[in-house]
Amino acid sequence: MFGVMSLIVAAWGLPTNAQTQPPAPTSTLSKLETPADALAQDAAEYAKQFSVTIAEATRRLTAQELSVPITDELAEKYRDRLAGIAIEHTPEYRIIVYLVGDQPVREKPFDAGGFNVPIAFRTGARVTRDRVIWAMTWHQRDIRAALPRPPGIGLDPRTGELVIIIGRSDLPGGGVDLKAKLEAIAEVPVQLRILNQTDRNLDIAGGGRVEGVSPVDGKRYICTSAFTVGNGTQTAITTAAHCPDKMDYRDPMRGDLPLEFLGQWGWGYRDVQIHGSTEPLAPAIYSDTAKTRLRPITGQRTRAGTRAGDFVCHRGERTGYSCAVVELTDFAPAGDICGGVCLPTWVTVSGPTCKGGDSGSPVFSGTTAFGILKGGSYRGDGSCAFYFYMSVDYLPVGWSLLRAAPDGTYPAPLSRPTSAP
């Protein structure tokens, strides 16, 4: 089954003769990274973006991973008051917990291996995260009906507001009147964001590289492979559900490897497709633009454990390797690109690096898997506002990520890492 979303995306797909590939690998075998190598690569990108030293970037990314159990514990402890949790990178690195009410909570430090990270509590949020999630779930249809076009909606964890993303042409009667109208519908505070953008699945192109023929127009399209998964009896690779069902894995050195279509899940909160292979698959992904480095996957991050401000990376055939910060962890894309209405389960990551061609690519930090990239939100000039991904929480029942050992080693051949993007 090619699927409804495939019919939508096929019109935007990039044929195989499109210029979508990064520079060719410089060697016949890719370098297998260690977890320390992976951290160093991401830290170099973090250092450039936030103007800190490599040593400081390394400390911060180490703290990002070590702090997950701490913020999970705080989320549970303050659940009745919690509006959200976010990581702040400037003017200093710290974790902020946003709470409703005005009862103060004393700031406390978190020891991340000798690097003290402040945890600050900010009071004054108007409603809890749970209340906004409830509003998105139960009032999404009425919010969509109140606007000329279905908007993107999400939770701002820093304010406890329902974010509604619309274009300027969707402001009849003025923004103040519309804001009040939407608040009356949702029964929670609303934050309007005017971006003049369009949410859509990323084009059929990218990745590591898998190709298939669309039954809609008979053209051959490129898709992205992401993580290796298993079900106890076989291993397989994931990609986006809006890709063609019948695909081959392209290896520039050894030719095509036929893949077996095992299933597709592309409705509401999922966009994932699974393909089996006759050859063993390594729990690794390419982590650089030129595809000369293999990064082992040793763990995964849940959506509940993902914070606004987390620094994550993705690697796609069109844009290569890039990193940015998580913005919203409870987001429903605009339109009907989830086989219908999207649920508020998607995670957004800030632009500007997303283009058609990266759909299905892996989202990760260090050797931890976060999700599978679904689509992007584009401004009127075509620039990327943000992209959004499906958390690996939502892999189909019975399938789970294959993982390397904590030191990054795995007993798999490196000449054909078919799980790589």
Side-chain angles (χ1 to χ4, degrees):
M1 174 180 173
F2 192 55
V4 174
M5 287 190 295
S6 297
L7 299 178
I8 296 172
V9 177
W12 302 322
L14 297 180
T16 56
N17 61 359
Q19 299 300 311
T20 62
Q21 296 191 64
T26 57
S27 64
T28 57
L29 288 179
S30 299
K31 168 183 167 59
L32 177 62
E33 293 184 330
T34 65
D37 293 332
L39 176 61
Q41 182 183 356
D42 294 352
E45 188 66 23
Y46 183 101
K48 287 191 296 183
Q49 292 192 28
F50 293 101
S51 300
V52 297
T53 65
I54 295 291
E56 175 67 11
T58 301
R59 285 193 292 268
R60 292 184 179 192
L61 292 183
T62 300
Q64 174 176 289
E65 191 65 25
L66 293 177
S67 64
V68 174
I70 304 299
T71 53
D72 285 349
E73 181 181 329
L74 291 173
E76 183 60 32
K77 180 177 181 179
Y78 294 101
R79 181 167 184 171
D80 292 343
R81 298 183 60 192
L82 184 69
I85 298 176
I87 294 176
E88 191 173 86
H89 300 271
T90 56
E92 65 175 337
Y93 187 84
R94 60 180 177 173
I95 298 169
I96 303 180
V97 182
Y98 297 89
L99 303 173
V100 300
D102 55 10
Q103 182 180 352
V105 178
R106 181 178 299 177
E107 182 173 305
K108 59 181 69 174
F110 161 61
D111 183 5
F115 175 47
N116 285 329
V117 179
I119 301 178
F121 294 83
R122 296 288 181 267
T123 59
R126 292 169 62 184
V127 295
T128 65
R129 174 185 181 273
D130 286 349
R131 178 73 181 277
V132 177
I133 298 300
W134 181 90
M136 283 194 283
T137 302
W138 293 102
H139 296 303
Q140 184 179 16
R141 182 177 64 179
D142 294 333
I143 292 170
R144 287 162 59 97
L147 293 164
R149 293 174 295 178
I153 63 175
L155 164 70
D156 186 338
R158 297 172 177 83
T159 64
E161 294 173 310
L162 172 61
V163 176
I164 299 180
I165 305 172
I166 61 175
R168 191 162 300 281
S169 62
D170 298 327
L171 282 172
V176 175
D177 292 341
L178 178 59
K179 182 175 183 296
K181 178 181 178 180
L182 294 173
E183 287 183 340
I185 294 172
E187 300 177 341
V188 295
V190 166
Q191 175 190 137
L192 288 178
R193 293 188 184 179
I194 316 300
L195 290 180
N196 289 321
Q197 64 189 51
T198 302
D199 293 352
R200 66 174 186 257
N201 292 321
L202 291 186
D203 297 341
I204 298 179
R209 135 181 181 165
V210 286
E211 294 187 6
V213 175
S214 165
V216 178
D217 58 14
K219 294 181 179 179
R220 191 169 184 84
Y221 290 98
I222 309 163
C223 276
T224 302
S225 60
F227 301 110
T228 307
V229 295
N231 65 358
T233 60
Q234 68 182 125
T235 59
I237 58 173
T238 60
T239 188
H242 57 264
C243 294
D245 293 351
K246 186 176 181 181
M247 295 192 299
D248 296 331
Y249 183 86
R250 296 297 306 276
D251 187 315
M253 292 173 288
R254 296 173 57 191
D256 293 354
L257 171 67
L259 299 174
E260 178 188 4
F261 176 74
L262 299 179
Q264 176 194 80
W265 297 261
W267 314 101
Y269 64 101
R270 282 176 172 155
D271 190 352
V272 59
Q273 188 163 286
I274 293 179
H275 291 261
S277 167
T278 58
E279 296 192 12
L281 304 177
I285 59 172
Y286 286 118
S287 62
D288 65 325
T289 296
K291 294 190 287 191
T292 62
R293 299 167 66 102
L294 279 176
R295 180 175 300 195
I297 295 299
T298 62
Q300 70 182 72
R301 178 75 68 84
T302 66
R303 187 170 73 91
T306 304
R307 294 78 50 98
D310 272 334
F311 188 77
V312 300
C313 306
H314 85 279
R315 194 268 165 213
E317 188 75 1
R318 185 76 184 278
T319 60
Y321 165 84
S322 64
C323 305
V325 296
V326 170
E327 292 186 328
L328 306 176
T329 60
D330 306 276
F331 176 71
D336 296 309
I337 62 172
C338 298
V341 178
C342 297
L343 298 179
T345 56
W346 305 85
V347 180
T348 74
V349 179
S350 63
T353 308
C354 66
K355 291 182 180 179
D358 291 347
S359 188
S361 61
V363 180
F364 54 91
S365 182
T367 58
T368 300
F370 276 64
I372 299 170
L373 196 151
K374 172 178 174 58
S377 188
Y378 297 94
R379 301 183 182 92
D381 62 2
S383 62
C384 171
F386 57 84
Y387 67 82
F388 42 93
Y389 69 83
M390 182 199 84
S391 171
V392 289
D393 292 1
Y394 302 129
L395 288 173
V397 174
W399 293 93
S400 59
L401 284 177
L402 294 186
R403 304 186 188 188
D407 64 359
T409 60
Y410 55 86
L414 300 186
S415 59
R416 187 191 288 273
T418 55
S419 63

